[in-house]
Amino acid sequence: MCRRANAAPSVAWAMYQQLQVDFLSLHPTLYESSPGCRRGFCPRCGTQIMFAADYLPGLVDLTIGSFDDPDALAPAFQYWHAERLQWVETVEQLPCYAEFPPSDVLWPG
């Protein structure tokens, strides 16, 4: 569900009690993506910033990538690991580039 909603192989979330979360200016636009599951989007740019579900009463997930300083919120565990894409386990073995890869990597030959 999260992979499809974010169009990404995985999503990093920070989970909080609902009482700990307060949006100071713009409040997310909510969309019921599945029965009992609500996703919140920035009303200005459309970025998904939150998730809440009836099966997680009193909790809210916030997308770590939407924070001003996402490095300050390092994940503590992985969940829904059974739903991961199989190639995710091998990503760390791939070549890394500080920015966009050179054209000969993108279009060899």
Side-chain angles (χ1 to χ4, degrees):
M1 183 170 57
C2 292
R3 182 173 58 236
R4 288 185 178 192
N6 288 278
S10 63
V11 182
W13 298 101
M15 187 179 288
Y16 293 95
Q17 291 183 15
Q18 183 70 49
L19 296 173
Q20 294 175 289
V21 177
D22 186 21
F23 295 95
L24 301 177
S25 58
L26 296 175
H27 289 266
T29 299
L30 297 179
Y31 170 71
E32 188 168 3
S33 57
S34 300
C37 299
R38 294 159 305 285
R39 295 182 183 279
F41 299 86
C42 172
R44 187 176 299 144
C45 71
T47 298
Q48 184 180 184
I49 54 176
M50 61 148 300
F51 174 81
D54 293 348
Y55 64 84
L56 298 169
L59 298 176
V60 62
D61 287 335
L62 302 175
T63 53
I64 290 176
S66 65
F67 280 79
D68 291 336
D69 185 11
D71 275 331
L73 297 162
F77 56 87
Q78 298 180 54
Y79 57 102
W80 289 105
H81 195 256
E83 298 297 324
R84 77 194 180 286
L85 297 173
Q86 294 303 307
W87 54 260
V88 168
E89 301 294 327
T90 62
V91 169
E92 288 295 320
Q93 301 168 19
L94 296 174
C96 293
Y97 302 92
E99 296 179 3
F100 205 73
S103 61
D104 63 326
V105 172
L106 296 174
W107 301 283

